[in-house]
Amino acid sequence: MIDEGKLHTFIGQMLGDLGGASSVAMVRMGDRLGLYKALHEGGPVTSAALASRVKLDERYLREWLSHQAASGYLAYDPMVGTFALTPEQAMVFAIEDSPVYMMGGFDAAAAMLENQPKVQAAFKTGGGVAWGDQATCLFCAVARFFRPGYANHLVSHWLPALDGVMDKLERGAKVADVGCGHGWSTVLMAKAFPNSQFVGFDFHEGSIDDARAHARQHGTDGNTRFAVAKAKELPEKGFDLVTCFDCLHDMGDPAGAARHIRAALKPDGTWMVVEPMAGDRLEDNLNPVGRLFYAASTLVCVPTSKSQEVGAALGAQAGEQRLREVIGSAGFASVRRATETPFNMILEARA
Ligand SMILES: C[S@@+](CC[C@H](N)C(=O)[O-])C[C@H]1O[C@@H](n2cnc3c(N)ncnc32)[C@H](O)[C@@H]1O
């Protein structure tokens, strides 16, 4: 027997989901064409006035603006026919340094769609898809998605939550940022702690090139270096602090990486492991954050890990208990959750 009420509720959900999915291209066009920034800077505007301001075709713009209003992404005033970004919408779409800037999430959604054929094929073989063989825009999307969180929390909250690390960084510490990707976390720390030396490692050469460019752009070349290396083959030792941002679960052999990192730390060193927020049981993660991370995990993280030796495939929703097992297996004296945000948990492991 079909329950009509449940059916209507579910179809309502599907309408919302399809609307969200079809917004990915629309939102990215708004970003690439500079429309959100123009709306944020210029205030309420008709389609004709916006067309002359940004020098784009009015007909296309009117359709795009109408979609954005129907999506609740812009406010529309029917009395005067103007469209505007509210302050809250601007934080999500226009202000790159806001803690809730989400453009990277839309870029990541596009990258996941592009990954579909390769990952779909891997379901049949159980094989992996190497990080470097995934969607062309994946590396930039990931960097863009995580940067606002790091810019707003890393130096102000996460590092101070670690035991004694701020003093060392202010005096002058040696730090490795392992799995650094495009190096935003490395650059943010290097800027905040000019007396310390930072080296970013990642096994993906293209990302290391981008990280070097970011360090140059942000004037931190003086105390940052970047090198291509696997997490379990770091060519240096004697670190006061090792950081891993949203990458331990992507590694093929996270336990091997943990052992190597412990050996690369000074005896009183600290390993900061930033991982996606997740509960330990599937039923704890059946929520909007879990939904996003399980999709990313299926289409990006599990294939990345399975393409490497061991192929542990922890997944992006491993949960604290599983992460503590992996970290603890390397013989760290203590592991604790130092702090958290809705998207991340920050674990501190002491050598
Ligand atoms: C989700 S991205 C995170 C990048 C960066 N930490 C950030 O937060 O923007 C995962 C990163 O881990 C790197 N990675 C995966 N497995 C690795 C391994 N075994 N050794 C070194 N880097 C690895 C990938 O190249 C990628 O840059």
Side-chain angles (χ1 to χ4, degrees), residues 117-315:
K118 286 180 182 170
V119 176
Q120 193 173 305
F123 267 66
K124 296 181 184 163
T125 62
V129 184
W131 182 257
D133 293 340
Q134 299 191 17
T136 39
C137 62
L138 177 71
F139 324 113
C140 309
V142 165
R144 199 176 191 198
F145 178 69
F146 286 125
R147 199 189 76 88
Y150 301 162
N152 284 281
H153 301 295
L154 170 53
V155 172
S156 56
H157 295 100
W158 296 350
L159 291 169
L162 305 178
D163 195 14
V165 165
M166 288 294 273
D167 278 352
K168 289 185 189 172
L169 288 170
E170 272 152 17
R171 281 200 309 272
K174 186 176 170 190
V175 182
D177 188 7
V178 176
C180 66
H182 282 205
W184 286 114
S185 48
T186 331
V187 167
L188 283 163
M189 292 190 288
K191 251 192 163 160
F193 302 104
N195 294 333
S196 292
Q197 292 297 320
F198 296 83
V199 50
F201 295 107
D202 198 288
F203 74 169
H204 182 238
E205 203 167 341
S207 291
I208 287 295
D209 290 343
D210 276 295
R212 287 192 180 116
H214 288 144
R216 271 194 303 278
Q217 272 162 23
H218 291 268
T220 60
D221 346 24
N223 63 336
T224 51
R225 284 182 292 121
F226 291 95
V228 176
K230 284 188 182 175
K232 57 190 251 188
E233 294 170 9
L234 304 178
E236 294 179 44
K237 281 179 180 251
F239 293 105
D240 297 285
L241 173 68
V242 173
T243 57
C244 278
F245 293 92
D246 285 293
C247 61
L248 185 67
H249 65 271
D250 290 313
M251 294 175 190
D253 182 10
R259 282 193 298 278
H260 188 82
I261 286 170
R262 183 165 175 268
L265 281 168
K266 287 183 182 166
D268 65 344
T270 301
W271 184 22
M272 177 167 78
V273 183
V274 177
E275 277 289 301
M277 178 55 78
D280 293 321
R281 302 167 310 166
L282 170 60
E283 54 269 42
D284 302 329
N285 303 327
L286 302 181
N287 53 54
V289 172
R291 186 186 189 196
L292 279 178
F293 279 132
Y294 278 123
S297 189
T298 309
L299 284 154
V300 179
C301 311
V302 166
T304 300
S305 176
K306 272 177 163 286
S307 73
Q308 301 178 41
E309 70 286 359
V310 181
L314 285 179

